[in-house]
Amino acid sequence: MAERRINPILKQVLELGPTILFFVIYMWIKDDSFRIAGTDYSGFIIAALVLIPILLISIAALWALTGKLSRMQIFTGLAVLFFGALTAWFNDERFFKMKTTLVYGSFALLLGIGLLRGRSYLQFVLSEALPMQPEGWMILTRRLTLGFALLAVANEVVWRTQSTELWVKLETFAFPIALFLFLVLQISALSRYVIEPADPAKDKPPQG
């Protein structure tokens, strides 16, 4: 099924909104404790649990509006659901913090497996949005594999050594911004490999 186009602002709101709402809710209730069915839960755990339905609704809305979901969106949604359930069951915020390591680490692993096979799985996912020569895709895939691996390691270091509040801020803003800037810089550096769309006017024979 072909992907239907929607307002790009609405698309960004649906993709980024759940994470921003998680940050807002956490900052609002971070110092509170909530007793549910005889168990006390921290503000962080409640914010993480609230994120789950918000994210699922967002993903469902994207699917309804566009008719398509990326593998990354599906995987992220399943990771949030799984680790959110573990967080609630064991009443332990560490499970939710591990989610970020799993997501980044899995992307690094999958891209790395493709590289070992001499293929760019990144090209398979993004080739329609960014036409580029195979050599460029391999270079970008190698660099992005390293980038995802570094983010996974950075998440492990941060959540194990720093405060929950700092982790939430880095998870919400620093990690995504770092990944975005890294991609922009790499695509710019590899611009010579980008395939420009054909200009119909140039291919049109001259009028006699």
Side-chain angles (χ1 to χ4, degrees):
M1 180 185 295
E3 182 176 1
R4 297 188 294 270
R5 294 187 177 275
I6 64 172
N7 185 294
I9 296 178
L10 174 60
K11 190 171 185 290
Q12 287 296 308
V13 168
L14 290 173
E15 290 178 344
L16 302 178
T19 302
I20 301 298
L21 282 175
F22 166 71
F23 173 77
V24 171
I25 293 170
Y26 167 75
M27 295 302 293
W28 181 27
I29 63 174
K30 63 179 181 177
D31 297 323
D32 298 332
S33 179
F34 300 84
R35 177 170 286 270
I36 301 175
T39 301
D40 291 325
Y41 295 94
S42 68
F44 175 87
I45 290 180
I46 296 300
L49 295 180
V50 171
L51 171 65
I52 295 174
I54 292 175
L55 181 64
L56 294 179
I57 291 171
S58 170
I59 291 175
L62 279 169
W63 179 77
L65 292 171
T66 66
K68 187 176 182 180
L69 290 176
S70 70
R71 292 175 178 85
M72 183 179 295
Q73 289 168 327
I74 295 172
F75 178 74
T76 302
L78 291 175
V80 169
L81 182 61
F82 177 72
F83 282 95
L86 289 179
T87 299
W89 182 262
F90 292 103
N91 196 14
D92 190 338
E93 64 185 35
R94 291 177 297 178
F95 287 103
F96 198 76
K97 294 175 180 178
M98 293 176 191
K99 163 201 51 90
T100 302
T101 302
L102 174 74
V103 172
Y104 288 139
S106 296
F107 290 155
L109 178 63
L110 290 173
L111 293 179
I113 291 173
L115 289 172
L116 291 175
R117 300 179 62 190
R119 302 177 61 184
S120 170
Y121 292 157
L122 195 64
Q123 179 181 3
F124 174 72
V125 176
L126 298 177
S127 58
E128 291 186 4
L130 181 65
M132 190 160 55
Q133 297 173 19
E135 183 181 355
W137 278 116
M138 293 300 290
I139 295 172
L140 180 59
T141 301
R142 285 195 293 269
R143 294 177 180 178
L144 193 56
T145 300
L146 178 61
F148 278 132
L150 291 175
L151 284 173
V153 172
N155 183 70
E156 282 296 298
V157 171
V158 170
W159 82 257
R160 291 178 185 275
T161 63
Q162 304 301 316
S163 67
T164 294
E165 182 173 341
L166 178 60
W167 179 85
V168 170
K169 291 177 180 178
L170 294 177
E171 158 78 1
T172 305
F173 301 107
F175 291 163
I177 290 174
L179 180 59
F180 174 78
L181 292 177
F182 179 80
L183 279 171
V184 170
L185 289 173
Q186 294 306 316
I187 291 173
S188 176
L190 297 171
S191 59
R192 66 182 181 276
Y193 296 104
V194 175
I195 301 173
E196 298 293 337
D199 187 350
K202 292 183 179 180
D203 298 332
K204 186 176 180 181
Q207 298 293 326

